[in-house]
Amino acid sequence: MLGPDLTLRGAVELIRGGSLEALRLAEYCYGRIEELNDRLKAFITVFTRDENTHSVSEPLLGAPISLKDLFYTKDKPTTAGSRILAGFKPSFNAPVVDALSSSGALIIGKTNMHEFAFGVTNKNPHYGVCRNPWDRERISGGSSGGSAVSVAAGMCLASLGTDTAGSVRIPASLCGVVGYKPTYGMVSAKGVIPLSWTLDHVGFLTRSVEDAALLMRITTSHRPPAEPLEYSIKPAELKGIRIGIPRNYFLEHLQEDVERVFYDVVDILQREGAKVRDITIEAVEQMVRVRYVIVHAEAAAYHKRFIRDRFNEYGEDLKRRLAEGAVIPASTYINAQRLRKKLVGSFRRVFKEVDILLTPTTAVTAPRVDEENVAVGDVVMDIRPALLRLTEPFNVVGAPVLSLPAGLSRERLPVGLQAIADVMDDDTLLSIGMALESVIKPIGNP
Amino acid sequence: MLDEETCGLLLRLCCVGPSMVRYLSKRALGRLAEMDSLFLDFLDMEDELRVDAGA
């Protein structure tokens, strides 16, 4: 019963039915953390059993959930994975944390991340390299890497993360869990240490699409939490669903196993009666440039006081990124913002022709910890663009995106599938996501 | 050429201190300059002038 297969919904139903005690579930998760965290470095802070007065209230009935360590937690450490914030204890909880707590979640701890969420490897110079539970010689991906590892390794049932260019979806893909980035602004980012105000999205890492939908409902709902939630989103009928495959850019450079798994899923969907067609997304390279300028400029603005006084305390990669952000002229940033608005309009037009878009989530499976470059099809790339290139365009347009495990490589590493819907069409995305999940063979556990 | 003091003020305005300068590469700055001009190419000036005139 207990194990990395157990979903949030499954646990809640077992507890509600009386066949699982919430306390036993919490003890199991604490046990997994004690057993694995030294090696995986998934958590920066684990809240003790004493700190967690265990309220077993509806609808989450004490299910253990972790938080990326940039969500404010009242009077508890919030480091953003940086030495600069060591000792910082916020005076209030992020509203999204309050929403989970008041819905009966047990907040079990704060997870390791790329420093200040400004990177995708999770090789954190201060709190250790977050390692992939499928192969500990490989990275978890990031920046919500500890969140993905905590869910994949059975240390909790779900986790809150953030996604500015792929930081929920990339580690979800590399660690074999579900990652969901809702439409921009749907989940409050108040009390969340920012990387880029324009592009930050709060998101979820879970073991099923249904669990992601449940957390979305809880964190965006105004209804009183102390009652069982109805599951209003049902799996869609795949027959007749219009699926767009953007061949330009997105399918140009893929690792062989990623390409194989992706086309296997496309074949399954066609057999199920989905209408699959090729489409073109315009100006993707411009989206990538806009993403770079906005994130770097906004990060430099947020960090200006630390850059001035404590620059040497950042990790080496952060120093380089912040230096690059600091010299972006205001006119370049403003033109990037103007261009972003045009790109949103052209992107949304594709949804006149299709219901969702499908791509792989990452062009490669999890790179080794010591790798700086990876072979992607017939080219060699720096691992950062190799991991980011398929996810970052969708932050620029604010669209909702799901990453779900689609298969395994020959080295038994997870491969993620990315489904993208129109802005504000999260219900359609989740509904189709549930249907996709039901026809894709489960990848099992690390 | 800018004199040293003007250069220093320019860097200070960008919040780029001496310890930070070594993290700036010719490659990164070249890439940024290229992005800047590509944005201008993509933003349709004629279209914007038409909107302004209409307003």
Side-chain angles (χ1 to χ4, degrees):
Chain A
M1 183 193 304
L2 289 172
D5 278 337
L6 186 61
T7 63
L8 184 58
R9 182 181 184 176
V12 165
E13 289 185 348
L14 288 172
I15 295 168
R16 193 176 291 135
S19 51
L20 174 65
E21 284 182 21
L23 192 62
R24 190 166 157 241
L25 175 60
E27 288 301 328
Y28 169 78
C29 291
Y30 275 119
R32 294 287 288 177
I33 293 170
E34 277 166 26
E35 179 190 344
L36 298 170
N37 199 47
D38 276 353
R39 281 170 284 171
L40 297 178
K41 303 286 186 213
F43 282 85
I44 291 175
T45 304
V46 179
F47 297 149
T48 65
R49 291 158 174 82
D50 293 340
E51 282 177 295
N52 269 317
T53 48
H54 207 162
S55 81
V56 185
S57 60
E58 290 282 3
L60 293 177
L61 296 174
I65 290 179
S66 66
L67 311 172
K68 184 178 186 178
D69 200 16
L70 44 54
F71 288 88
Y72 276 25
T73 42
K74 188 180 177 188
D75 299 329
K76 290 178 177 169
T78 300
T79 68
S82 178
R83 209 168 72 188
I84 286 173
L85 293 188
F88 172 56
K89 292 180 179 177
S91 60
F92 66 96
N93 279 335
V96 69
V97 175
D98 272 340
L100 289 176
S101 295
S102 63
S103 299
L106 172 81
I107 306 297
I108 199 162
K110 313 279 294 282
T111 57
N112 196 0
M113 52 184 284
H114 204 104
E115 186 175 11
F116 279 112
F118 207 175
V120 292
T121 63
N122 258 52
K123 293 197 271 187
N124 189 299
H126 316 294
Y127 299 96
V129 176
C130 193
R131 291 177 182 268
N132 195 306
W134 291 82
D135 178 348
R136 289 172 194 163
E137 296 307 312
R138 294 177 185 271
I139 60 168
S140 62
S143 62
S144 310
S147 289
V149 173
S150 68
V151 174
M155 298 161 150
C156 58
L157 296 181
S159 190
L160 271 189
T162 58
D163 189 315
T164 307
S167 284
V168 162
R169 292 161 285 155
I170 292 165
S173 173
L174 268 46
C175 295
V177 298
V178 170
Y180 170 37
K181 176 188 89 66
T183 292
Y184 175 79
M186 292 274 277
V187 181
S188 168
K190 187 181 173 195
V192 184
I193 293 168
L195 172 59
S196 157
W197 299 280
T198 302
L199 303 180
D200 288 345
H201 298 62
V202 173
F204 310 100
L205 297 107
T206 58
R207 293 185 194 153
S208 72
V209 177
E210 190 176 48
D211 285 354
L214 173 64
L215 292 177
M216 176 68 170
R217 182 88 186 276
I218 286 170
T219 53
T220 57
S221 172
H222 297 293
R223 63 184 288 161
E227 54 189 277
L229 276 177
E230 292 163 17
Y231 293 84
S232 57
I233 298 173
K234 307 288 181 206
E237 179 69 46
L238 283 172
K239 189 171 181 183
I241 280 180
R242 301 170 305 160
I243 295 175
I245 308 290
R247 285 193 188 275
N248 67 307
Y249 180 89
F250 292 93
L251 301 184
E252 283 170 6
H253 302 294
L254 299 176
Q255 217 173 46
E256 191 184 337
D257 279 348
V258 171
E259 190 169 28
R260 173 183 55 78
V261 168
F262 178 73
Y263 282 112
D264 283 352
V265 171
V266 171
D267 284 348
I268 291 169
L269 296 177
Q270 284 180 315
R271 284 200 297 274
E272 294 287 328
K275 292 179 182 169
V276 179
R277 55 173 294 188
D278 292 348
I279 56 125
T280 300
I281 298 182
E282 292 171 17
V284 184
E285 286 84 0
Q286 289 288 16
M287 293 182 188
V288 171
R289 293 181 191 114
V290 162
R291 200 282 305 168
Y292 173 92
V293 167
I294 292 176
V295 171
H296 281 71
E298 292 187 357
Y302 175 77
H303 285 270
K304 199 154 189 168
R305 83 194 85 167
F306 302 133
I307 289 173
R308 192 182 55 204
D309 302 329
R310 304 177 65 179
F311 186 68
N312 287 329
E313 293 176 51
Y314 288 106
E316 288 298 294
D317 62 337
L318 264 279
K319 287 177 183 166
R320 186 171 48 74
R321 283 178 201 131
L322 290 170
E324 290 175 17
V327 297
I328 292 174
S331 57
T332 306
Y333 171 76
I334 290 166
N335 280 338
Q337 286 285 16
R338 293 168 69 214
L339 185 49
R340 189 178 70 82
K341 286 182 186 149
K342 290 185 77 158
L343 293 169
V344 172
S346 72
F347 168 75
R348 295 191 67 186
R349 280 197 286 277
V350 303
F351 292 101
K352 289 180 179 162
E353 298 171 42
V354 298
D355 299 308
I356 59 161
L357 304 170
L358 276 190
T359 75
T361 308
T362 52
V364 294
T365 53
R368 282 191 298 277
V369 170
D370 58 0
E371 266 178 321
E372 285 298 318
N373 299 293
V374 281
V376 188
D378 51 358
V379 297
V380 174
M381 284 187 197
D382 182 288
I383 62 167
R384 289 151 197 89
L387 291 172
L388 276 170
R389 65 191 307 273
L390 307 185
T391 55
E392 61 183 327
F394 305 114
N395 291 73
V396 172
V397 296
V401 190
L402 266 175
S403 174
L404 47 160
L408 291 173
S409 70
R410 282 165 294 184
E411 295 173 290
R412 281 192 54 77
L413 295 170
V415 174
L417 173 75
Q418 189 174 228
I420 305 103
D422 193 7
V423 176
M424 299 301 288
D425 207 2
D426 291 63
D427 284 1
T428 298
L429 177 68
L430 291 165
S431 174
I432 294 175
M434 284 183 202
L436 294 174
E437 195 173 49
S438 71
V439 296
I440 295 171
K441 190 179 165 199
I443 63 168
N445 299 309
Chain B
M1 287 294 287
L2 294 176
D3 61 70
E4 198 173 321
E5 190 183 351
T6 313
C7 245
L9 284 169
L10 205 56
L11 289 174
R12 189 175 145 205
L13 202 58
C14 294
C15 210
V16 179
S19 60
M20 207 168 173
V21 170
R22 70 187 175 97
Y23 290 96
L24 288 171
S25 66
K26 196 187 286 180
R27 184 166 163 258
L29 292 175
R31 191 170 159 228
L32 181 61
E34 188 192 352
M35 286 183 195
D36 185 64
S37 77
L38 284 167
F39 290 169
L40 283 181
D41 291 347
F42 208 79
L43 288 164
D44 186 343
M45 184 67 80
E46 196 181 322
D47 192 39
E48 284 166 17
L49 290 174
R50 203 178 305 128
V51 171
D52 288 346

